[in-house]
Amino acid sequence: QAYVAKSNGDLGDQLEPLLGVFKMLNSRRAYDQDGFYLIESLVEHLPLERLDPFMEVALRLMLERLTASRTQKYVRCFLIFCALFMGKHNPEYLVSKFDSINAGLFGKVIENFWLPSVTQVVGKIERKICAVGTIRLVCESPSYLSKYGASWPQLLQRVLQLLELQASDEEHADAATDEVEIDTDATGYSVAYAQLATACTDQPDPFVAIAEPKAFLCQNLQTLTQAHPGVFLQQIETLPTESKQVLQSYLQATGANLQ
């Protein structure tokens, strides 16, 4: 991570060897989280044009692990990686990249991993990453909206759940930190954003510029609904009552107006 961060995006010819290290770590249950630690650092510090030649290979390796030797920890690391990528770069790119591997594949990712597991991600920063990435997906990706829009209300509900869980983390910060740091394997943390049990520094936030994720959601929903008047309001009405009340409280707090 330190090497990638200090490179300022200039890794020369070292990117391919680093991805070779990811392949090795990814294949071993005891070290797969370290593989995500490495590749998430690349996502944070490299521009998309540098990542592009290697993204399909990396995604195929992840999908092979999910098929052959899936664990709850691995699924959560996979979701954090995808959300980080969509938040840092382009959700449309990731949807298209999955679908270029196999037609309709991103829909399977949503159905089999995102909807059932994203709210099981543990940690304030990790939940923020998943919320930000999912917000960008449901508000900014034309391919997602056109091909997989049937899952839009469910994904919006997952975002609301993540934001409420993150708020709970902030209220109980010490307890939440202890849980993530001490029982890392059981909680399925992403090593790129969790500290060792002996560490005392704060977890790094890759989306520090998004100080208020709830406001970020409302702003993006406002932009989306202005572009498609009435369409997404109808879908919001299908949410459970509790989720609609939570969203309404966010909208009132931010002054956002959905159309």
Side-chain angles (χ1 to χ4, degrees), residues 19-35:
L19 288 167
V21 174
F22 168 74
K23 180 178 180 180
M24 181 270 293
L25 295 171
N26 185 70
S27 67
R28 303 182 181 183
R29 284 194 179 191
Y31 302 106
D32 51 18
Q33 69 268 26
D34 297 308

Side-chain angles (χ1 to χ4, degrees), residues 15 22 31 45 62 64 95 111 114 121-122 139 144 170 173 181 196 210 220 243:
L15 184 54
F22 168 74
Y31 302 106
H45 297 288
M62 295 176 196
E64 288 172 4
V95 175
E111 178 183 352
W114 218 280
V121 169
V122 172
C139 293
Y144 165 74
E170 291 171 352
E181 290 174 351
L196 296 173
I210 303 175
N220 278 271
S243 295

Side-chain angles (χ1 to χ4, degrees), residues 63 66 70 78-79 98-99 102-116 148 151:
L63 292 167
L66 288 168
R70 181 188 313 172
F78 170 71
L79 293 176
F98 272 110
D99 285 352
N102 194 3
L105 181 57
F106 192 74
K108 297 297 183 183
V109 170
I110 295 170
E111 178 183 352
N112 295 328
F113 303 115
W114 218 280
L115 290 175
Y148 310 116
S151 65

Side-chain angles (χ1 to χ4, degrees), residues 7-251:
S7 72
N8 293 318
D10 183 15
L11 291 173
D13 59 357
Q14 294 304 304
L15 184 54
E16 189 166 357
L18 286 173
L19 288 167
V21 174
F22 168 74
K23 180 178 180 180
M24 181 270 293
L25 295 171
N26 185 70
S27 67
R28 303 182 181 183
R29 284 194 179 191
Y31 302 106
D32 51 18
Q33 69 268 26
D34 297 308
F36 280 101
Y37 174 89
L38 171 61
I39 202 164
E40 287 165 359
S41 295
L42 296 175
V43 167
E44 278 200 71
H45 297 288
L46 295 181
L48 183 57
E49 57 267 24
R50 289 283 283 129
L51 296 169
D52 178 64
F54 304 96
M55 276 299 295
E56 181 173 336
V57 173
L59 292 177
R60 285 185 180 275
L61 289 169
M62 295 176 196
L63 292 167
E64 288 172 4
R65 258 300 307 270
L66 288 168
T67 301
S69 184
R70 181 188 313 172
T71 63
Q72 290 183 345
K73 179 187 73 172
Y74 194 90
V75 169
R76 288 184 279 233
C77 287
F78 170 71
L79 293 176
I80 292 167
F81 166 78
C82 291
L84 176 68
F85 187 96
M86 291 191 291
K88 281 290 183 180
H89 296 287
N90 188 336
E92 180 71 7
Y93 173 94
L94 195 66
V95 175
S96 298
K97 186 61 70 173
F98 272 110
D99 285 352
S100 71
I101 295 172
N102 194 3
L105 181 57
F106 192 74
K108 297 297 183 183
V109 170
I110 295 170
E111 178 183 352
N112 295 328
F113 303 115
W114 218 280
L115 290 175
S117 300
V118 73
T119 56
Q120 297 175 14
V121 169
V122 172
K124 182 178 71 173
I125 299 301
E126 289 84 352
R127 286 170 175 159
K128 180 180 179 181
I129 292 167
C130 289
V132 169
T134 309
I135 290 167
R136 291 202 63 192
L137 172 66
V138 300
C139 293
E140 297 181 24
S141 171
S143 293
Y144 165 74
L145 293 172
S146 62
K147 294 181 180 180
Y148 310 116
S151 65
W152 193 90
Q154 295 98 310
L155 282 182
L156 177 58
Q157 183 182 10
R158 298 303 185 274
V159 170
L160 296 170
Q161 291 169 335
L162 285 166
L163 294 177
E164 290 299 288
L165 287 167
Q166 192 198 27
S168 176
D169 286 340
E170 291 171 352
E171 292 172 4
H172 307 285
D174 292 339
T177 300
D178 290 342
E179 179 185 2
V180 174
E181 290 174 351
I182 294 172
D183 193 13
T184 53
D185 188 64
T187 58
Y189 81 123
S190 172
V191 71
Y193 302 105
Q195 303 298 325
L196 296 173
T198 55
C200 59
T201 57
D202 291 336
Q203 298 179 18
D205 181 357
F207 298 117
V208 67
I210 303 175
E212 297 292 341
K214 295 175 184 178
F216 182 71
L217 169 63
C218 294
Q219 291 160 5
N220 278 271
L221 285 176
Q222 178 172 279
T223 301
L224 178 67
T225 60
Q226 286 175 346
H228 307 275
V231 174
F232 292 98
L233 283 180
Q234 292 178 2
Q235 297 199 48
I236 288 171
E237 284 302 312
T238 68
L239 292 173
T241 300
E242 182 179 357
S243 295
K244 286 190 287 188
Q245 291 173 343
V246 168
L247 178 57
Q248 186 60 36
S249 72
Y250 295 175
L251 295 170

